[in-house]
Amino acid sequence: MKLEKIKEFKQFASEVILKVLIKMDKDFQNYQNLDDYDGMQKIKLEFIPKYEKLYLEFSNNISENLDDFDDEKIESLMSIINDIMKLHNIDIDYILNDIDKRKNLKEKSGAQVVKRLFQYQIKELESKMKKLLEQADTILDAEAKLETELRDAIQETNQMRILDQLVIVRSKWSILEKKTIQCKTALDQLKESLEKKWTYDIYGTISQEELKKVFNLKK
């Protein structure tokens, strides 16, 4: 009974926090559309991280150590969840309905599609990053070789030829460096989204078919 009660509470709490995160994400997009940098920063740095942490705590599997998770603690935490619901005007029936949807859909939900998409994109970017780093090694080796030749060159014509080649090699390096930074940034963001969970769990109350329809409409 205790385990079941904790499980039910965590499902309810995580669904509430998920709804808040969805709202925060929309608020961030609105601030972004308005070019309101201060509003974006407040949402991104103050509000979202706090609720992300709560969501991970409530959505994770129940720990085997339940000694400190008694009725009193559940009531105390439920009081906090109720306050959050009031603050964000979240209806209890709305939460209960979405909990049922999530249970019924499980592996057939849109969340699983988005999660797999994140994993696929990460794999693709890791492969791209590997190729970029291999190209970087080639360019650095070429640069080192030209610098050695430049030190050994005596005739001015040879020096000028090598300098011209160095300009080309360093230009390639500059372009490659930008691509590598962009790739790493995208890769880090995807890995972070996968770790946070809520970024794909928000699609857990719609079917894969519904998600595809929404995606097609957006396209």
Side-chain angles (χ1 to χ4, degrees), residues 125 128-129 177-187:
L125 284 172
K128 183 179 179 180
M129 178 65 78
E177 186 179 32
K178 289 177 183 177
K179 288 182 179 179
T180 304
I181 291 171
Q182 290 172 350
C183 184
K184 187 178 186 307
T185 300
L187 185 57

Side-chain angles (χ1 to χ4, degrees), residues 53-81:
K53 184 178 179 183
L54 282 173
Y55 183 69
L56 283 174
E57 289 177 359
F58 288 131
S59 64
N60 284 338
N61 292 329
I62 298 173
S63 171
E64 293 180 3
N65 183 12
L66 303 174
D67 294 337
D68 62 340
F69 224 116
D70 53 21
D71 289 344
E72 186 176 346
K73 183 171 183 179
I74 291 177
E75 288 179 13
S76 175
L77 290 171
M78 194 64 221
S79 176
I80 295 172
I81 295 300

Side-chain angles (χ1 to χ4, degrees), residues 132 170-180 182:
L132 288 171
R170 285 168 180 167
S171 176
K172 288 181 179 179
W173 169 257
S174 179
I175 294 170
L176 185 65
E177 186 179 32
K178 289 177 183 177
K179 288 182 179 179
T180 304
Q182 290 172 350

Side-chain angles (χ1 to χ4, degrees), residues 188-202:
D188 289 344
Q189 288 174 345
L190 277 168
K191 285 182 176 180
E192 187 178 11
S193 294
L194 196 62
E195 289 173 2
K196 287 177 177 178
K197 292 178 62 179
W198 73 270
T199 50
Y200 58 84
D201 277 347
I202 58 176

Side-chain angles (χ1 to χ4, degrees), residues 87-100:
L87 179 64
H88 295 280
N89 196 28
I90 298 173
D91 181 68
I92 187 170
D93 290 332
Y94 173 46
I95 296 299
L96 293 174
N97 186 48
D98 273 7
I99 288 173
D100 287 339

